[in-house]
Amino acid sequence: MREILTGYWGKYKNSLFITPVFVLLESVVTLALPTLMSNIVDIGVAGGDRAYIIRCGLLMTLLALVSMASGFVSTWHAARAANGFGSNLRVAMFHHIQEFSFGDIDRFSTASLVTRTTSDVRQLQNAVQMMMRTFIQAPFQLIVAVVIVVTYSWKLALIYLIAIPVLFLGIISIMRLVDRLFTLVQQKLDAMNADIQENLIAIRVVKAFVRQRYEREKFRKANDELTHANLRAVGVIIAMGPLATIILNAVTLCLYWFGGRMVATGEIQSGQLLAVISYLTQIMMSVMMFSMVLMQYTRSRACGKRIAEVLDTEPDIRSKPDAAAHPIARDRGSVVFENVSFKYSKTGTGEEVLRDLSFSVAPGETVAIVGGTGSGKSSLVNLIPRFYDATEGRILVDGTDVRDYRIEDLRSGVGMVLQNNILFTGTIRENILWGKEDATDEEIIQALKNAQAWDFVSEMPDGLDTQIHQGGTNVSGGQKQRLCIARAMLKHPAILILDDSTSAVDSDTESRIRESFKRELKDTTVFIIAQRISSVVSADKILVLDNGRIESMGTHEELMQTSPIYRDIYTSQVKEALSDG
């Protein structure tokens, strides 16, 4: 928490020094006003000195204007510093999250990371803004006001010195109760955001299965839990109001009771008693402001711990400090697995999903991976660009262990079309340029033609400038797949990984895409995960996975002779095709 509060001010640091100056000026002026009012009563009114009353009145007006101006300046600079701090902190978190491995993201969950980067930072930002003013103003006004009251009457000051500790003890007791409640609030907010995110991403499935009622009920439950957690925290906080009111009224009553007697005996003047009562208001307001800051700090501390948890997490997968630049040549994309095993240690069951895999792929070869659901196909290809690291064994790309590459060099040499095709908000051109930032329109169009996507793109009213909605919801599944393939082909990678990337296109289109791979990416090593045997029969090598192990390996013709699993898959699909025909 301390490191967070000291490390993210940047160019807004000057406001940290300007704010206290004007807060102190505002406080000094505010503290002077009751004394001037006391002088008006005890000197001006008592002596019938109208000129003195006017002079003091004008001075009070001037001081009030100075107080207002100082308050404006200090508030503006506090807001500037706090918002700048929040902005810098969000940027730092976002940059750090970009370095996370898939395993790190899985551990926190996407919804929680969104909450931490937005809601948690906002709570911390609000606390900083409040603390910048109140942590200076409240103690200063409290101490000075008590000292002034002591100069008027030490007997009346005793009333303050008894009441203030009582109020602080009550506030501290309340803070202890709400600390864990605020942590629970943020956890419930995580859960509700997760429900919203999941529902919006899968809204088409929800509607297709008419599950709106179920989703509404699930959201209502998460929302109610968040509401109840908030109400429990607020219910404890509002106890401060009655506590402060009781103490304020009790102190006021005591001041009038004892102060009135002292005025009658001449120990204190009536104007001074009015000043003492005015300072009571300032003192109690200072205590209340300080308590609210402490309360905000309590909530922000819970948020700060969650933020620190993200910032303190060392990404599982990083480049070695001494890793030298080592780009992968396009015609050198050999891949070797040596006794590779893997398990999802942070988010899985702890069981190995890949076991003792060993095989080699020469540059330019096409390797197909087939197997049943859960056999480890996607896990295998995710190890090549180091989305995860192998638990045992090693993976060599172009003769070098993937862990010895700089991550940007390794991944720059690998193109991927993932199982879940992702397009970003923006134009088709902007999405394809992810493959090569400086590509010309001619290169983009050629990539689209190779991916069999130019036909439908050219028919769109805006062509390459057609806007893609968030998640690519305004294009079909097959169109989205072909745009993602074009993006990967534009990159001309040394290694291309296709994770079930043609499942939404027809066999004829898929065949034309495979022909473009042979023509345009003849030096590229290609890994294909596919459900259709027709997609893999022409591969140079086919791996058959079963329960995380390589059951068989060879060409289509060899596997038809040696692999019962492959033969069963082929036979069942041929029968299905014949029956459909």
Side-chain angles (χ1 to χ4, degrees), residues 165-180:
V166 172
L167 183 56
F168 267 119
L169 286 174
I171 292 169
I172 291 171
S173 299
I174 292 171
M175 283 178 57
R176 288 178 176 174
L177 288 174
V178 298
D179 189 11
R180 60 182 179 81

Side-chain angles (χ1 to χ4, degrees), residues 465-493:
D465 294 316
T466 300
Q467 285 288 326
I468 296 294
H469 297 171
Q470 186 178 33
T473 55
N474 59 327
V475 290
S476 70
Q479 290 172 337
K480 188 188 298 186
Q481 282 190 338
R482 283 176 278 170
L483 289 173
C484 291
I485 291 171
R487 180 172 62 193
M489 292 188 72
L490 182 63
K491 189 175 182 179
H492 283 283

Side-chain angles (χ1 to χ4, degrees), residues 185-403:
V185 167
Q186 296 305 116
Q187 291 171 349
K188 296 299 182 183
L189 183 59
D190 280 349
M192 189 186 74
N193 285 343
D195 282 347
I196 295 173
Q197 181 187 43
E198 184 179 53
N199 178 270
L200 294 178
I201 289 174
I203 190 65
R204 287 167 175 75
V205 178
V206 173
K207 290 181 178 295
F209 284 86
V210 198
R211 296 284 284 177
Q212 292 96 323
R213 182 179 299 176
Y214 171 81
E215 288 295 312
R216 291 189 190 112
E217 179 61 25
K218 187 170 71 169
F219 176 77
R220 184 198 62 76
K221 182 179 178 182
N223 188 48
D224 285 349
E225 289 179 355
L226 173 61
T227 302
H228 293 155
N230 267 313
L231 288 176
R232 287 174 63 190
V234 171
V236 176
I237 292 173
I238 60 177
M240 284 200 310
L243 176 65
T245 301
I246 291 171
I247 294 175
L248 177 63
N249 290 335
V251 173
T252 302
L253 183 61
C254 290
L255 288 176
Y256 277 118
W257 177 263
F258 293 107
R261 289 173 174 267
M262 293 170 70
V263 169
T265 60
E267 289 184 64
I268 189 174
Q269 293 179 296
S270 57
Q272 291 176 328
L273 178 59
L274 290 175
V276 168
I277 294 172
S278 294
Y279 283 123
L280 166 67
T281 303
Q282 290 192 12
I283 290 169
M284 297 307 291
M285 285 299 295
S286 296
V287 173
M288 287 303 297
M289 284 193 299
F290 196 72
S291 66
M292 290 306 297
V293 169
L294 291 177
M295 201 64 63
Q296 182 68 31
Y297 172 76
T298 301
R299 180 165 192 177
S300 67
R301 185 174 64 177
C303 296
K305 289 177 181 177
R306 286 159 51 87
I307 292 170
E309 189 179 4
V310 173
L311 293 173
D312 292 342
T313 296
E314 289 294 327
D316 282 349
I317 297 175
R318 308 188 78 161
S319 301
K320 290 183 177 179
D322 57 348
H326 184 191
I328 305 171
R330 290 181 182 173
D331 59 347
R332 298 288 301 278
S334 65
V335 177
V336 177
F337 274 58
E338 293 183 350
N339 307 115
V340 172
S341 297
F342 171 70
K343 60 183 176 182
Y344 294 98
S345 58
K346 288 187 176 181
T347 57
T349 61
E351 297 180 0
E352 290 183 335
V353 295
L354 297 174
R355 299 176 178 84
D356 197 26
L357 304 187
S358 294
F359 63 90
S360 61
V361 182
E365 280 192 329
T366 296
V367 179
I369 305 171
V370 298
T373 301
S375 59
K377 301 185 296 294
S378 294
S379 298
L380 186 155
V381 295
N382 280 334
L383 298 179
I384 298 172
R386 288 194 73 195
F387 291 151
Y388 297 93
D389 268 340
T391 309
E392 296 178 13
R394 64 176 186 158
I395 301 163
L396 307 178
V397 170
D398 194 16
T400 301
D401 193 316
V402 292
R403 287 168 288 201

